[in-house]
Amino acid sequence: MTDVDLLIVGAGPTGLFAAYYAGFRDLSTAIVDSLPEPGGQVTAMYPEKQIFDVAGFPAVKGRDLVAALVEQAGQWKPTYLLGRKASTLTPLDGEGFEVGLGDGTTVKAGAILITAGIGEFTPRPLPAGDGWLGRGMVHFVPELGVYQDKHVVVVGGGDSAFDWALALHPIAASVKLVHRRAKFRAHPPTVRQVEALGVPIITDAEVTMLRGEPVVQEVEITVKGQEPAIHPADVVVAALGFTADLGPIESWGLKLSHRAIDVDSTGKTAIDRVYAAGDVANYPGKVKLIATGFGEAATAVNNIAVALNPEAHLFPGHSSNEG
């Protein structure tokens, strides 16, 4: 059994910063996440994407941000419990909780901080892509370099689809974007950037067939009211969004709203000593940004420190005063 002051559920940016801040508050910490690597949604979905709304960075790649957060937290040596899902929450007779993990192990913790982001996410399938995953079809682009000189077809009309088209354009032999409607959910400035690059955007259309053996070599694209057309394709990026849920956390007795956990101004949930921060936390006026999650993590950890030790100060002073 792992025994810590604070168990952080979710190893995304908010959870990693919380691990740093908990160490700064002299709390022992473990981080559990169902994914095999730290970084959460950033690592799984857009490690190569430039992020522009993190304070202090005009732009930073997702993977670089995660690496820096892991290094920052590492000075306090948090215990990583990756590739394992937090399944059960059992209050102990004394104080704290026992959390059962999906692999049968348990964690004893004085407090819990849930930083699970959007929860467990499942990519929406491309109907014509059945059986092609790993054979040229992907949902996310973990490394841009492998698409050097490849013909890429991106399917979707949201931010991810346009982000991938923008990132792949200078690397790939060709990039086309296919969307079933003429309107896009993506951020308009990003759409304009892709259009300015001359990336072909095929609207009112669907990828209706993938062909090739053993991997994809071409796709059939059908525009509404027209005959299907064949296009070369070494890679199909099915960026159609995803579905998400909180998994077992939903059964913990928390108050939930719109697949998020209701919290007060300290990050406290409906259960004493259980807090939430980042995208998973909900309160009036909430804005879901990585920067917001960092601030919420610090607020929650400071209040957790007092909950665990009433003699502790809520405000510990500035870290720049240390050393």
Side-chain angles (χ1 to χ4, degrees):
M1 174 186 288
T2 302
D3 191 342
V4 291
D5 296 318
L6 176 63
L7 175 65
I8 298 170
V9 181
T14 298
L16 292 170
F17 183 72
Y20 156 74
Y21 206 90
F24 173 65
R25 288 305 313 254
D26 203 27
L27 302 177
S28 60
T29 304
I31 312 173
V32 63
D33 198 294
S34 60
L35 296 174
E37 296 179 75
Q41 184 181 342
V42 173
T43 295
M45 296 178 62
Y46 47 89
E48 294 287 348
K49 179 182 174 183
Q50 295 283 354
I51 300 171
F52 299 100
D53 54 11
V54 176
F57 293 95
V60 58
K61 277 188 180 182
R63 68 166 69 252
D64 294 337
L65 176 63
V66 169
L69 287 163
V70 169
E71 181 180 359
Q72 183 183 34
Q75 61 189 298
W76 306 113
K77 296 180 172 53
T79 299
Y80 285 96
L81 304 169
L82 302 176
R84 287 177 261 191
K85 186 184 300 185
S87 298
T88 60
L89 178 71
T90 305
L92 298 175
D93 290 337
E95 294 181 330
F97 305 90
E98 184 174 285
V99 176
L101 306 186
D103 64 352
T105 61
T106 58
V107 179
K108 182 181 177 183
I112 310 292
L113 176 58
I114 302 171
T115 57
I118 60 172
E120 301 175 71
F121 50 89
T122 303
R124 289 193 174 96
L126 175 67
D130 188 32
W132 288 95
L133 191 62
R135 297 175 54 208
M137 190 189 79
V138 298
H139 292 291
F140 314 116
V141 180
E143 186 178 347
L144 291 174
V146 299
Y147 301 117
Q148 182 81 37
D149 300 326
K150 303 287 187 182
H151 295 288
V152 181
V153 173
V154 181
V155 186
D159 287 319
S160 292
F162 278 87
D163 284 339
W164 293 135
L166 197 61
L168 289 165
H169 176 264
I171 294 170
S174 69
V175 177
K176 294 183 178 72
L177 193 145
V178 181
H179 186 45
R180 58 191 177 91
R181 292 193 299 270
K183 292 185 177 181
F184 309 111
R185 302 186 313 279
H187 196 44
T190 308
V191 175
R192 290 194 291 270
Q193 279 184 283
V194 172
E195 290 173 337
L197 288 172
V199 172
I201 301 175
I202 307 172
T203 58
D204 294 317
E206 296 184 59
V207 171
T208 46
M209 187 178 296
L210 282 69
R211 298 175 179 172
E213 187 60 43
V215 298
V216 65
Q217 295 171 306
E218 58 186 25
V219 297
E220 177 187 90
I221 299 175
T222 303
V223 177
K224 187 176 180 180
Q226 299 181 19
E227 291 295 315
I230 302 300
H231 298 256
D234 303 302
V235 180
V236 176
V237 182
L240 300 170
F242 47 83
T243 58
D245 64 73
L246 294 177
I249 292 173
E250 292 187 1
S251 67
W252 287 7
L254 302 163
K255 185 178 179 182
L256 305 175
S257 299
H258 308 293
R259 296 193 299 274
I261 301 169
D262 289 346
V263 300
D264 65 14
S265 61
T266 70
K268 185 175 176 295
T269 71
I271 301 176
D272 192 37
R273 293 198 182 188
V274 177
Y275 290 70
D279 285 358
V280 76
N282 177 67
Y283 51 84
K286 169 65 179 256
V287 177
K288 293 187 176 183
L289 293 172
I290 290 175
T292 307
F294 291 160
E296 292 170 354
T299 296
V301 168
N302 280 318
N303 281 275
I304 287 167
V306 175
L308 294 177
N309 177 14
E311 295 183 2
H313 294 290
L314 177 63
F315 177 61
H318 297 288
S319 60
S320 55
N321 295 335
E322 294 295 307

